[in-house]
Amino acid sequence: MILTDIDIRDRILNHEKYNLSNPMIENFNEKKLQGASYDISITSIVHVFKNTIKSIDINKQNEIDNIYECIDITNGYEIKSNEYILLTLNEKVNLPNDLVAHLRPRSTFTRLGLVLTAQHCNPTYCGVLQLGLYNATPFSIKIYPNIKVGQVVFERLNNIPSENKWYVNQPDSKYHNE
């Protein structure tokens, strides 16, 4: 079952009731709350590929961790045609063990030809997500900090997963508390 604005607000304002030490969405803004989702926005930092990278070995995490450089976009950033960047969200997500979250693009971005990567967050995930943004148009498109790039939809599970399957308990949960 997908959570409505009433459920989302309750889980943020009364997070202790749901055994969360922090609200489900940190940096919550009531104006971003929709009927069955929450709009997510970006910080003033994006990550772009370093020009020096020529090849990446998928088995070498150190190489993967070092392919990007941080760029401050306080005054905007022009995404070139066919460019892919990583966006950092303003919001931190803290999921309890009975919910999953799905991050989806906004219609405005889709119509512009900006492709936002979808994301799935498992129960007990906590962190500030980074989403990929790809400019599929022949044009450069300028973006700015705090623009709403997508929405997060929360879905209640029929059962609580086995504790050993929670994201927080996975040995390879490398993006937990990022």
Side-chain angles (χ1 to χ4, degrees):
M1 180 171 85
I2 293 176
L3 270 58
T4 67
D5 61 313
I6 296 166
D7 301 314
I8 295 168
R9 187 182 300 105
D10 182 49
R11 285 182 178 253
I12 290 167
L13 299 177
N14 303 304
H15 60 274
E16 298 91 356
K17 178 169 93 175
Y18 298 97
N19 297 319
L20 283 175
S21 54
N22 296 307
M24 190 171 68
I25 301 172
E26 291 183 47
N27 203 13
F28 174 76
N29 180 336
E30 179 70 31
K31 293 178 183 175
K32 294 184 186 178
L33 186 59
Q34 303 299 320
S37 65
Y38 183 83
D39 291 338
I40 49 176
S41 60
I42 63 170
T43 65
S44 61
I45 301 295
V46 299
H47 304 270
V48 300
F49 284 111
K50 292 178 181 174
N51 288 334
T52 57
I53 304 297
K54 302 297 179 210
S55 176
I56 302 165
D57 185 334
I58 196 78
N59 289 321
K60 295 182 180 176
Q61 188 63 42
N62 185 45
E63 284 185 21
I64 295 169
D65 292 340
N66 290 302
I67 60 175
Y68 291 102
E69 62 180 310
C70 295
I71 304 289
D72 185 330
I73 66 162
T74 300
N75 297 317
Y77 180 79
E78 199 168 288
I79 304 173
K80 297 169 198 70
S81 177
N82 295 314
E83 183 179 10
Y84 179 85
I85 64 174
L86 283 181
L87 309 171
T88 303
L89 297 183
N90 279 317
E91 297 80 17
K92 180 178 180 183
V93 175
N94 301 300
L95 290 178
N97 61 8
D98 67 333
L99 293 181
V100 293
H102 308 280
L103 285 87
R104 301 174 178 159
R106 288 178 52 98
S107 301
T108 302
F109 270 44
T110 302
R111 290 173 188 220
L112 280 173
L114 290 171
V115 181
L116 186 73
T117 57
Q119 196 87 20
H120 172 85
C121 299
N122 283 308
T124 71
Y125 169 81
C126 293
V128 176
L129 292 163
Q130 292 185 335
L131 300 177
L133 184 64
Y134 175 70
N135 181 355
T137 73
F139 315 106
S140 291
I141 300 174
K142 197 161 186 180
I143 62 168
Y144 297 90
N146 301 312
I147 59 169
K148 293 186 252 180
V149 294
Q151 56 196 350
V152 59
V153 175
F154 298 97
E155 192 167 3
R156 187 175 301 131
L157 303 171
N158 290 337
N159 292 303
I160 294 175
S162 306
E163 194 169 336
N164 66 325
K165 298 294 184 183
W166 293 357
Y167 190 80
V168 68
N169 294 333
Q170 298 303 306
D172 62 346
S173 60
K174 57 188 165 199
Y175 301 117
H176 191 69
N177 286 322
E178 185 173 48

